[in-house]
C-alpha cells in the first residue's frame, strides 16, 4: 500500500499530473509533459548524474502514485501481447508458459514512469531476462542506444526512442539476429567452431549435465561440451556500443565454462543441435517432394515448440540459403510471418528484417 504524503500529492497537483489519491484516472500527457520538462543538458554521464537525484525523487513519487492502478491496467495487456508476439521471451526467444510470462517494460518503470502504461513499451519476457534486466536501460544507456541518431543535447523523446532500439526475438521490426549472430562454442577446447563443423548435420546432442550440453561434434572422437553464444556483428563503434549495452543488460551469454550455464544458453544450444538433427532427418526425402514438404512442416512445428527463432532462421539461412531451389530458409521466412499461412508459427516476426537473399 502506497502512502501519499501531502507533499507528493501537492507536487503532483502542481505539475498537473494527477487527481487526488484513490482516483484511478490520471493524466498521461501531463506525466510526459513533466518528464519532457526535465533538462537534459549534456551528453556526459557526470552531467546526467548531477541531474538525477532531483528528478528521481519526483519520478519515484510518480511511481508510487500510479503503481497500484498501473499494475492492474498493464496486466490486462497480456492476452494482446501473446497474440502479437507469441509465447516467447522478447529478449532471448525462450518459449514460456503464459502464466510465467512477465509483462516487461522495455523502458523500465523506475526510470521512465511516463511510459508505464504505454502499450508500445510492453513486451513479454522470461523470468531470467526479466530478472537480469531489472531497471535497465537507464537514461544514460538509453541515450547511448540512440547516440548515432540524436542531437546534442538529447531531448526527452530522443532518450525514449533510444531506449526502444534493442533486440527483440522473435524480431518485431528491430535489428534482431543480424546484430547479435549466434555461433557454436567448443567449451571443452576453448575455441569457436568453424561453420563447416558447427553446422555439420551429423552433430548430435548426447546429454545435458548440470545445465551444460555435451554433443558428438564432427571431427571429434569423444563428446565435447558446446554452447551456442551470441556475438556482436557491427563494426560501427556506436552500433557496437548499443549491442554491447543490450548484451550486458539482458546477459544473453550468461555462461562460464566449467562454472555454470544459464538455462537460456543451454536451451539455445539444444535448439542449435535440434536444427541439425531435423535437417538430417529431412535428407531421407527427395528435396521438394510431398514427403519432404510434410517433413518440413513437422520441423516447423518442432521449431515453434522449441522457440529460439533466431537459431532456426540463422541456421536455415546458412545451410539452405534463399538462392537455392526449395530453400528451407525461404519456406520458414514466409511461413513464420503470414497469419494466412498454415506455417504461421512466430507471431510478431517482421519479415522485412529477415534478408531475402
Ligand atoms: Zn528471456
Amino acid at each position: 500500500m502506497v502512502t501519499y504524503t501531502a507533499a507528493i500529492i501537492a507536487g503532483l497537483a502542481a505539475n498537473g499530473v494527477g487527481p487526488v489519491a484513490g482516483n484511478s484516472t490520471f493524466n498521461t500527457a501531463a506525466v510526459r509533459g513533466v518528464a519532457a520538462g526535465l533538462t537534459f543538458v549534456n551528453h556526459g554521464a557526470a552531467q546526467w548524474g548531477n541531474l538525477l537525484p532531483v528528478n528521481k525523487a519526483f519520478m519515484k513519487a510518480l511511481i508510487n502514485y500510479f503503481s497500484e492502478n498501473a499494475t492492474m491496467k498493464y496486466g490486462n495487456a497480456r492476452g494482446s501481447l501473446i497474440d502479437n508476439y507469441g509465447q516467447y521471451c522478447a529478449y532471448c526467444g525462450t518459449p514460456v508458459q503464459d502464466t510465467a510470462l512477465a509483462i516487461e517494460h522495455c523502458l523500465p518503470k523506475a526510470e521512465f514512469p511516463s511510459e508505464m502504461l504505454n502499450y508500445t513499451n510492453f513486451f513479454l519476457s522470461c523470468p531470467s531476462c526479466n530478472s537480469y534486466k531489472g531497471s535497465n536501460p537507464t537514461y544514460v544507456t538509453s541515450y547511448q542506444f540512440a547516440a548515432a541518431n540524436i542531437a546534442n543535447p538529447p531531448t526527452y523523446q530522443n532518450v525514449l526512442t533510444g531506449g526502444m532500439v534493442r533486440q527483440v526475438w522473435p524480431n518485431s521490426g528491430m535489428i534482431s539476429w543480424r546484430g547479435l549472430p549466434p555461433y557454436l562454442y567448443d567449451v571443452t577446447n576453448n575455441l569457436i567452431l568453424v561453420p563447416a563443423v558447427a553446422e555439420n548435420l551429423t552433430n548430435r546432442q548426447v546429454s545435458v549435465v548440470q545445465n551444460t550440453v555435451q554433443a558428438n561434434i564432427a571431427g571429434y572422437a569423444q563428446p565435447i561440451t558446446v554452447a551456442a553464444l551470441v556475438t556482436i556483428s557491427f563494426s560501427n563503434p556506436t552500433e557496437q556500443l548499443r549491442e554491447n549495452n543490450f548484451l550486458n543488460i539482458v546477459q544473453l551469454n550468461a555462461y562460464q565454462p566449467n562454472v555454470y550455464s544459464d538455462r537460456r544458453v543451454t536451451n539455445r544450444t539444444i535448439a542449435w543441435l535440434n536444427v541439425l538433427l531435423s535437417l538430417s532427418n529431412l535428407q531421407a526425402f527427395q528435396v521438394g517432394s510431398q514427403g519432404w514438404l510434410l517433413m518440413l512442416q513437422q520441423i516447423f512445428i518442432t521449431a515453434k515448440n522449441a522457440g529460439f527463432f533466431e537459431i532456426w532462421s540463422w541456421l536455415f539461412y546458412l545451410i539452405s540459403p534463399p538462392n537455392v531451389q526449395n530453400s528451407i530458409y525461404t519456406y520458414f521466412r514466409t511461413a513464420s510471418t503470414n497469419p494466412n499461412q498454415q506455417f504461421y508459427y512466430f507471431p510478431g516476426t517482421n519479415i522485412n528484417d529477415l534478408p531475402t537473399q
Side-chain angles (χ1 to χ4, degrees):
M1 194 64 179
V2 177
T3 302
Y4 304 110
T5 67
I8 289 175
I9 294 173
L12 292 165
N15 284 286
V17 168
V20 295
N23 188 329
S24 66
T25 61
F26 54 90
N27 187 340
T28 305
V31 176
R32 290 193 189 186
V34 170
L38 302 175
T39 308
F40 298 140
V41 292
N42 204 304
H43 277 200
Q47 285 81 358
W48 288 90
N50 288 338
L51 290 170
L52 290 178
V54 176
N55 297 337
K56 275 195 168 171
F58 179 70
M59 295 220 168
K60 194 159 188 287
L62 284 179
I63 293 166
N64 287 343
Y65 187 72
F66 293 133
S67 59
E68 291 166 38
N69 291 312
T71 304
M72 193 167 62
K73 284 185 176 176
Y74 67 69
N76 292 336
R78 182 186 305 276
S80 167
L81 289 166
I82 288 174
D83 287 345
N84 283 334
Y85 298 116
Q87 291 181 209
Y88 305 97
C89 174
Y91 297 115
C92 71
T94 298
V96 189
Q97 295 294 319
D98 60 352
T99 51
L101 274 171
I103 292 184
E104 158 68 19
H105 288 79
C106 181
L107 297 170
K109 299 189 290 289
E111 294 274 328
F112 301 93
S114 70
E115 307 312 302
M116 191 188 292
L117 291 173
N118 177 359
Y119 184 84
T120 60
N121 191 37
F122 298 162
F123 290 101
L124 297 166
S125 77
C126 71
S128 291
C129 287
N130 194 35
S131 166
Y132 277 118
K133 188 167 174 293
S135 291
N136 288 300
T138 63
Y139 287 112
V140 173
T141 46
S142 283
Y143 154 66
Q144 287 172 338
F145 282 144
N149 307 314
I150 63 177
N152 182 0
T155 65
Y156 185 65
Q157 188 59 47
N158 287 148
V159 178
L160 290 185
T161 307
M164 297 292 283
V165 178
R166 41 60 194 117
Q167 314 291 321
V168 176
W169 293 330
N171 179 8
S172 74
M174 302 301 169
I175 44 188
S176 194
W177 50 278
R178 280 190 292 171
L180 294 167
Y183 65 93
L184 198 62
Y185 175 61
D186 171 355
V187 178
T188 302
N189 300 294
N190 188 27
L191 56 89
I192 295 171
L193 295 173
V194 299
V197 175
E199 299 155 22
N200 194 295
L201 299 193
T202 66
N203 293 341
R204 289 292 178 275
Q205 178 185 321
V206 173
S207 61
V208 179
V209 179
Q210 293 180 332
N211 245 3
T212 59
V213 180
Q214 274 79 52
N216 283 319
I217 298 294
Y220 289 88
Q222 302 292 328
I224 59 171
T225 301
V226 290
L229 305 177
V230 300
T231 189
I232 296 171
S233 67
F234 292 115
S235 55
N236 175 299
T238 303
E239 290 177 321
Q240 277 186 347
L241 176 63
R242 183 189 64 208
E243 300 307 293
N244 199 43
N245 277 340
F246 178 79
L247 202 56
N248 288 333
I249 284 172
V250 189
Q251 287 290 302
L252 284 179
N253 284 342
Y255 180 89
Q256 283 189 22
N258 307 317
V259 179
Y260 72 98
S261 177
D262 189 285
R263 176 62 69 181
R264 299 169 301 169
V265 176
T266 305
N267 290 336
R268 189 196 299 148
T269 308
I270 292 170
W272 183 296
L273 293 165
N274 275 339
V275 176
L276 302 180
L277 172 64
S278 297
L279 293 181
S280 176
N281 291 337
L282 192 61
Q283 287 181 317
F285 301 89
Q286 185 186 349
V287 175
S289 68
Q290 192 63 26
W292 187 86
L293 287 168
L294 284 170
M295 185 69 198
L296 198 59
Q297 184 176 1
Q298 291 303 311
I299 291 174
F300 291 170
I301 291 170
T302 301
K304 178 185 183 182
N305 293 329
F308 298 94
F309 178 83
E310 85 284 8
I311 296 293
W312 292 85
S313 54
W314 178 254
L315 286 173
F316 287 161
Y317 182 80
L318 294 175
I319 294 170
S320 181
N323 60 351
V324 305
Q325 208 173 8
N326 285 302
S327 160
I328 293 165
Y329 168 80
T330 301
Y331 279 115
F332 190 65
R333 179 183 184 277
T334 306
S336 300
T337 53
N338 182 349
N340 299 315
Q341 293 262 343
Q342 61 173 337
F343 293 154
Y344 177 57
Y345 295 135
F346 289 91
T349 305
N350 184 347
I351 59 171
N352 296 323
D353 194 48
L354 298 175
T356 53
Q357 35 184 305

